[in-house]
Structure formats: structure tokens, C-alpha cells
Amino acid sequence: MTFMRAPGFFARLLQVAVRGYQLFLSPYIGWSCRYQPTCSAFMLEALARHGALKGGWMGFKRIMRCHPWGGHGYDPVPGCGCEQNKASSDGENRSPALSSCK
């Protein structure tokens, strides 16, 4: 089970903007995303997982890759790396870099 922290104010603000795009602009532009999940769904998940700064940057980079000469296919939002250390139940072997993961 993956735990995600509640997004902050700026992350929520960006999520509202992306959701507005999905509802009002995307139907007129058409389905042209080369990746799965779509770029807007990727952005929403990145904002929820990583917050406004890191998630927004990840979403921006993904949108910049979405062009006819770019890649395509399945491209999920990377996690924080906590999944790698779930096997150790005592938590002593946990890396200090991963101590902020919840």
C-alpha cells in the first residue's frame, strides 16, 4: 500500500488548472498524447505524489517530451523510492535519503 501525503496549496492550485484543461480544452484539442497515462493525468499524479515544485517540474518535462519526434508508450510517474525498502520491517537499514518518505 502506497501512502501519499496531502498536496499543498500550490499543488492543489496546479491540479485545478490541469483539471480545467481536461474538462474545457482537451475535448476540443483531441486525443493526441503519445504516452500512457496521458500528460494531464501524469501531471495530476505527479502533483499528488511529489508536490508543486517537483511534481510540476516532472509534469513540465513530460509535456516537453510529448511531440511527434519524442517517445511514446507507457511512462508512469516515478515514486519516491520507498517501495525498495518496504522489505525491511525494522527500518534500521533504511537510507537517510529515504527517511522523508512516508
Side-chain angles (χ1 to χ4, degrees), residues 32-79:
S32 59
C33 193
R34 302 174 54 85
Y35 291 102
Q36 187 64 0
T38 63
C39 293
S40 56
F42 182 95
M43 176 71 97
L44 289 175
E45 187 176 345
L47 289 169
R49 280 189 181 192
H50 300 288
L53 191 60
K54 185 175 180 182
W57 177 247
M58 293 169 73
F60 175 75
K61 289 191 317 183
R62 165 70 175 274
I63 292 169
M64 292 295 106
R65 288 193 318 258
C66 193
H67 54 80
W69 302 280
H72 58 60
Y74 182 63
D75 182 27
V77 175

Side-chain angles (χ1 to χ4, degrees), residues 21 24-32:
Y21 161 79
F24 299 113
L25 290 176
S26 182
Y28 298 108
I29 293 173
W31 297 96
S32 59

Side-chain angles (χ1 to χ4, degrees), residues 13 17 21 31 79 93 95-99:
L13 191 64
Y21 161 79
W31 297 96
N93 297 332
S95 166
L98 298 176
S99 62

Side-chain angles (χ1 to χ4, degrees), residues 1-3 79-102:
M1 185 154 116
T2 304
F3 294 100
C80 67
C82 297
E83 294 83 15
Q84 297 171 359
N85 289 332
K86 293 243 186 227
S88 66
S89 60
D90 57 359
E92 292 177 13
N93 297 332
R94 205 164 186 190
S95 166
L98 298 176
S99 62
S100 64
C101 297
K102 295 181 177 156

